[in-house]
């Protein structure tokens, strides 16, 4: 804590040198010579595993394959996959050629995917065949109708036939599937089995990057700037619709280093750790704190593509999982579900919870089930790179911590708490808006300088929209949220999206969507609705309108992904608004709390 231009909180750990002049993949695989024969990726469902050397080689081939398909520095590709090795190969492969990956939830509806796809100007999608129909649907709706001659576009492996919905896909973008490709899509082997021209002396390559900070590597021959984007997750931030969050090589390396680098790393991952990767890699929490941190530390990543409590417990037991990253609803399952008692969880030494508030009593309840493990929280926000604070109980030389705390601000960063009204910075134990500054934060929102300026001020402080305080032991506590976002099991639900949908209904004159507390999900979206004059509509009809589910083409006719459905509709005469027309969400939330 220091004064000067206000009170600034820092980590209790000393600042460290961070090699954030490197490309992200070179940083993550920097210790490859030592970890080459150790397991890197383990597929939970099949038991198949890839060593560090194998993983790195396939990533390199994937890079060459992407390059063969015309992807080059600055191009965006989209990954639409559940957790699987191909996700990792594609993300790292893209980094190797200076391309940018945007990740989306494969359970998104066609329109949700389309919005992100268009906004990011992606040129290629890596997905699985069961999701391709969604893309055929949106390309028919929004891209040109007519067929294009075969062979145009210069893409070597492209194979297209007219007729089906999917057939017109290849015209504007390439679709690659990790399983049997439907018509006009390519199989992932065009990437993973591509001929990597460069000799397999990765060791040299790493050294190469290291010595030539931002020049081209002789072998991979691409220009590189640490401020090039590498990941483009989408987040609605403090207000409005989802926006592309530009994370650069510099920001992600900084964030990973803040967690796992240094003599006393804040999050001490070891080469012999098995790290659970159950949370979806399309979300920055898992991508950063699980995958990238594990790669950097040389730990094994156990990939699970879906949650099922029995399978999870069985895998923890079988693979002796030592580190688990979870979200509060998973803490609830682990702490309360009676089936847990039949399994051996003694291998767990660290359990990290993040992405949504974790109740203190729930944390304590889990502690009785895994007494040998250190439990703690990380606090992140996609825009912040993402980690702001992390439990110091996870450090190599740990510090004592308290239940309910979100950890201490990460090293090489500054955190302040400001009075939301006056903007002046506050001291210990005073609640206000949490702001963060450091090289890990996003470069900005994609093509949206206004939204960027609203979030990162001229002094470089990123305003989180979270209300919290720092206690006398430097631990961060989050107490409230002033931004709109609703967190359903850690997933973002942007109210603006549901409000726009509601306003498109003929019988609805005005609407506001706010979070309501829920034991299982943390929060669920509920709506306040004003009916148009003379119109009548039922709660059920409104819920159906938002979900719009039909038996046959389930995902086609759904407006929004399952967790964005309304759980309750309250009919009101007017939505409370400020003189400038902003919805007074606080008043609505207070109404819910009082009910
Ligand atoms: P986004 N406690 C309370 N609220 C939290 C916490 C937490 N531990 N973590 C995140 N949030 C809320 O962009 C908070 O409102 O990123 C924050 O502004 O989907 C918002 O969620 C951001 O949501 C980690 C640990 C990443 C956590 C994360 C969170 C990424 C979620 C890496 O190691």
């Amino acid at each position: 804590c220091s004064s000067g231009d206000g009170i600034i909180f820092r980590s209790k750990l000393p600042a460290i040198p961070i090699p954030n002049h490197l490309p992200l993949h070179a940083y993550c695989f920097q210790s490859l010579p030592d970890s080459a024969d150790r397991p890197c990726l383990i597929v939970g469902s099949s038991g198949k595993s890839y060593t560090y050397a194998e993983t790195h080689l396939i990533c390199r081939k994937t890079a060459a394959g992407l390059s063969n398909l015309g992807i080059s520095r600055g191009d965006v590709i989209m990954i639409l996959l559940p957790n699987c090795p191909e996700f990792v190969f594609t993300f790292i492969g893209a980094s190797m050629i200076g391309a940018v990956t945007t990740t989306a939830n494969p359970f998104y509806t066609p329109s949700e995917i389309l919005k992100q796809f268009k906004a990011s100007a992606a040129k290629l999608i890596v997905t699985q065949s069961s999701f391709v129909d969604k893309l055929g649907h949106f390309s028919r709706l929004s891209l040109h109708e007519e067929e294009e001659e075969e062979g145009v576009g210069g893409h070597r492996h492209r194979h297209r036939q007219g007729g089906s919905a999917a057939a017109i896909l290849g015209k504007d973008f390439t679709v690659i599937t990790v399983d049997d490709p439907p018509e006009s899509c390519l199989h992932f082997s065009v990437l993973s089995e591509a001929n990597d021209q460069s000799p397999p002396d990765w060791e040299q390559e790493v050294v190469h990057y290291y010595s030539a900070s931002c020049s081209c590597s002789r072998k991979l021959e691409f220009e590189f700037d640490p401020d090039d984007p590498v990941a483009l997750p989408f987040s609605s931030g403090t207000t409005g619709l989802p926006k592309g969050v530009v994370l650069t090589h510099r920001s992600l390396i900084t964030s990973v280093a803040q967690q796992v680098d240094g003599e006393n790393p804040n999050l001490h991952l070891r080469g012999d750790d098995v790290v659970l990767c159950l949370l979806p890699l399309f979300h920055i929490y898992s991508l950063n704190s699980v995958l990238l941190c594990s790669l950097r530390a040389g730990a094994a990543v156990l990939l699970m593509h879906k949650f099922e409590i029995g399978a999870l417990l069985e895998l923890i037991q079988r693979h002796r999982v030592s580190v688990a990253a979870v979200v509060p609803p998973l803490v609830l399952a682990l702490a309360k579900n009676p089936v847990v008692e039949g399994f051996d969880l003694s291998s767990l030494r660290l359990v990290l919870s993040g992405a949504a508030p974790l109740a203190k009593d729930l944390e304590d309840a889990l502690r009785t089930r895994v007494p040998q493990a250190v439990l703690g929280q990380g606090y992140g926000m996609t825009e912040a790179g993402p980690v702001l604070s992390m439990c110091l109980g996870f450090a190599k030389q740990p510090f004592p911590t308290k239940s309910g705390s979100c950890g201490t601000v990460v090293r090489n960063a500054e955190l302040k708490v400001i009075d939301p009204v006056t903007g002046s910075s506050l001291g210990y134990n005073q609640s206000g808006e949490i702001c963060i500054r450091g090289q890990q934060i996003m470069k900005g929102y994609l093509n949206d300088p206004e939204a960027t300026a609203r979030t990162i001020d001229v002094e470089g402080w990123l305003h989180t929209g979270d209300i919290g305080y720092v206690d006398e032991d430097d631990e961060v506590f989050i107490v409230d949220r002033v931004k709109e976002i609703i967190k359903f099991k850690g997933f973002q639900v942007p109210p603006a999206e549901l409000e726009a949908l509601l306003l498109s209904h003929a019988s609805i004159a005005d609407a506001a969507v706010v979070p309501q507390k829920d034991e299982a999900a943390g929060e669920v979206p509920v709506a306040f609705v004003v009916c148009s004059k003379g119109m009548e509509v039922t709660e059920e009809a409104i819920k159906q309108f938002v979900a719009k589910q039909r038996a046959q083409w389930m995902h086609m006719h759904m407006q929004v992904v399952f967790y964005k459905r309304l759980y309750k509709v309250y009919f009101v005469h007017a939505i409370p608004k400020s003189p400038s027309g902003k919805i007074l969400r606080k008043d609505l939330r207070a109404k819910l709390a009082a009910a």
Side-chain angles (χ1 to χ4, degrees):
C1 178
S2 65
S3 50
D5 63 327
I7 300 145
I8 293 175
F9 299 100
R10 291 193 176 78
S11 175
K12 292 199 234 195
L13 299 169
I16 51 169
I18 295 179
N20 55 18
H21 57 285
L22 294 175
L24 181 62
H25 56 276
Y27 167 81
C28 285
F29 285 93
Q30 206 171 11
S31 58
L32 191 50
D34 302 323
S35 57
D37 297 328
R38 281 211 300 268
C40 177
L41 305 174
I42 305 169
V43 184
S45 55
S46 66
K48 185 171 168 50
S49 78
Y50 300 81
T51 64
Y52 265 85
E54 286 166 341
T55 303
H56 191 254
L57 181 64
I58 302 175
C59 292
R60 286 175 56 126
K61 285 175 174 287
T62 304
L66 287 169
S67 182
N68 289 344
L69 290 175
I71 302 298
S72 57
R73 182 185 178 197
D75 285 342
V76 177
I77 63 162
M78 177 182 256
I79 299 183
L80 201 63
L81 285 173
N83 292 352
C84 59
E86 292 83 358
F87 191 116
V88 181
F89 305 148
T90 307
F91 180 80
I92 299 289
S95 169
M96 286 173 167
I97 55 166
V100 189
T101 301
T102 192
T103 53
N105 186 341
F107 292 105
Y108 269 176
T109 62
S111 71
E112 286 168 305
I113 297 168
L114 174 63
K115 280 182 212 147
Q116 180 167 338
F117 181 80
K118 277 183 152 179
S120 61
K123 292 190 165 169
L124 179 147
I125 301 185
V126 180
T127 186
Q128 67 186 30
S129 56
S130 59
F131 302 125
V132 169
D133 272 354
K134 300 188 190 191
L135 311 177
H137 179 74
F138 80 58
S139 60
R140 233 192 345 236
L141 286 181
S142 56
L143 305 172
H144 331 277
E145 283 290 347
E146 77 282 6
E147 285 299 316
E148 198 186 53
E149 280 166 44
E150 190 136 353
V152 177
H155 290 182
R156 272 211 255 147
H157 299 275
R158 186 169 295 164
H159 171 72
R160 206 185 306 119
Q161 283 157 12
S164 79
I168 60 168
L169 286 174
K171 161 162 58 175
D172 295 277
F173 52 97
T174 309
V175 179
I176 294 170
T177 60
V178 299
D179 51 357
D180 257 357
E183 209 182 331
S184 85
C185 300
L186 305 174
H187 186 255
F188 193 76
S189 57
V190 301
L191 301 182
S192 60
E193 292 170 18
N195 190 10
D196 178 16
Q197 302 294 329
S198 46
D201 52 345
W202 32 259
E203 216 172 320
Q204 244 195 12
E205 180 198 317
V206 172
V207 174
H208 222 83
Y209 281 128
Y210 210 35
S211 52
S213 63
C214 52
S215 68
C216 45
S217 149
R218 181 173 49 84
K219 287 165 237 136
L220 285 174
E221 278 187 42
F222 80 95
E223 297 277 325
F224 167 74
D225 181 325
D227 294 313
D228 281 348
V230 65
L232 189 65
F234 272 59
S235 165
S236 65
T238 55
T239 183
L241 298 171
K243 298 170 274 292
V245 175
V246 178
L247 296 178
T248 64
H249 293 261
R250 187 195 299 283
S251 47
L252 282 178
I253 291 176
T254 306
S255 175
V256 172
Q258 286 168 331
Q259 294 167 80
V260 301
D261 278 6
E263 258 173 53
N264 187 17
N266 195 331
L267 173 62
H268 181 218
L269 297 184
R270 306 186 308 228
D272 61 353
D273 271 319
V274 179
V275 182
L276 177 71
C277 183
L278 166 62
L279 302 180
L281 285 167
F282 60 73
H283 191 256
I284 195 71
Y285 175 14
S286 193
L287 183 70
N288 177 309
S289 289
V290 177
L291 177 66
L292 300 178
C293 284
S294 297
L295 294 179
R296 172 67 177 173
V301 178
L302 176 63
L303 296 162
M304 278 190 78
H305 67 278
K306 69 167 197 243
F307 171 67
E308 199 276 301
I309 187 81
L312 169 66
L313 296 166
E314 211 271 319
L315 283 175
I316 294 177
Q317 184 173 282
R318 174 146 34 110
H319 293 279
R320 305 287 304 156
V321 168
S322 53
V323 177
V326 295
V327 287
L330 270 170
V331 176
L332 182 72
L334 290 172
K336 301 276 165 80
N337 196 320
V339 304
V340 176
E341 267 150 24
F343 290 85
D344 173 14
L345 304 185
S346 63
S347 56
L348 285 172
R349 65 174 193 89
L350 299 183
V351 180
L352 161 69
S353 174
L358 177 65
K360 191 175 169 306
D361 51 340
L362 194 54
E363 188 176 333
D364 293 335
L366 180 60
R367 198 160 276 125
T368 62
R369 284 251 166 111
V370 284
Q372 80 289 350
V374 180
L375 308 186
Q377 292 190 58
Y379 158 49
M381 171 170 168
T382 309
E383 291 80 350
V387 182
L388 290 95
S389 65
M390 178 70 73
C391 173
L392 277 173
F394 299 147
K396 191 169 182 185
Q397 283 111 47
F399 292 78
T401 59
K402 294 184 251 347
S403 285
S405 124
C406 289
T408 298
V409 60
V410 289
R411 63 209 313 169
N412 295 58
E414 300 171 294
L415 184 145
K416 69 177 180 178
V417 178
I418 62 167
D419 184 313
V421 180
T422 66
S424 63
S425 61
L426 304 171
Y428 286 114
N429 294 309
Q430 289 178 282
S431 283
E433 184 180 15
I434 295 176
C435 300
I436 186 90
R437 186 161 71 176
Q439 296 196 350
Q440 73 284 5
I441 71 170
M442 68 168 176
K443 198 166 172 180
Y445 289 115
L446 182 71
N447 302 327
D448 199 340
E450 287 88 30
T452 304
R454 274 197 305 272
T455 307
I456 303 175
D457 67 24
V458 288
E459 291 174 356
W461 289 100
L462 183 137
H463 295 242
T464 60
D466 291 311
I467 300 293
Y469 64 91
V470 177
D471 79 356
E472 58 284 355
D473 297 314
D474 288 296
E475 289 191 89
V476 177
F477 289 81
I478 311 268
V479 296
D480 197 7
R481 210 182 294 138
V482 279
K483 55 186 166 189
E484 298 168 4
I485 196 77
I486 300 165
K487 283 256 145 159
F488 179 97
K489 298 192 174 179
F491 286 114
Q492 291 195 1
V493 182
E497 211 172 279
L498 295 179
E499 285 157 4
L501 198 54
L502 289 169
L503 289 177
S504 73
H505 190 288
S507 306
I508 297 176
D510 204 358
V513 174
V514 294
Q516 182 160 39
K517 292 254 169 297
D518 178 87
E519 214 213 325
E523 291 172 357
V524 292
V526 301
F528 287 84
V529 163
V530 181
C531 287
S532 306
K533 264 218 171 69
M535 299 291 227
E536 263 184 49
V537 59
T538 63
E539 169 169 8
E540 206 40 48
I542 293 176
K543 283 185 179 170
Q544 279 299 315
F545 174 71
V546 170
K548 221 187 217 176
Q549 219 188 65
R550 299 202 195 136
Q552 330 152 324
W553 289 95
M554 230 177 51
H555 53 266
M556 297 290 169
H557 293 272
M558 260 162 63
Q559 307 255 35
V560 287
V561 67
F562 64 90
Y563 53 81
K564 294 183 188 167
R565 286 187 209 153
L566 292 176
Y567 283 71
K568 182 102 193 94
V569 177
Y570 299 94
F571 292 98
V572 289
H573 293 297
I575 302 291
K577 291 196 180 148
S578 72
S580 65
K582 269 183 95 172
I583 298 171
L584 294 173
R585 295 175 192 279
K586 219 179 166 144
D587 291 7
L588 293 171
R589 281 162 59 193
K591 230 177 191 171
L592 290 176

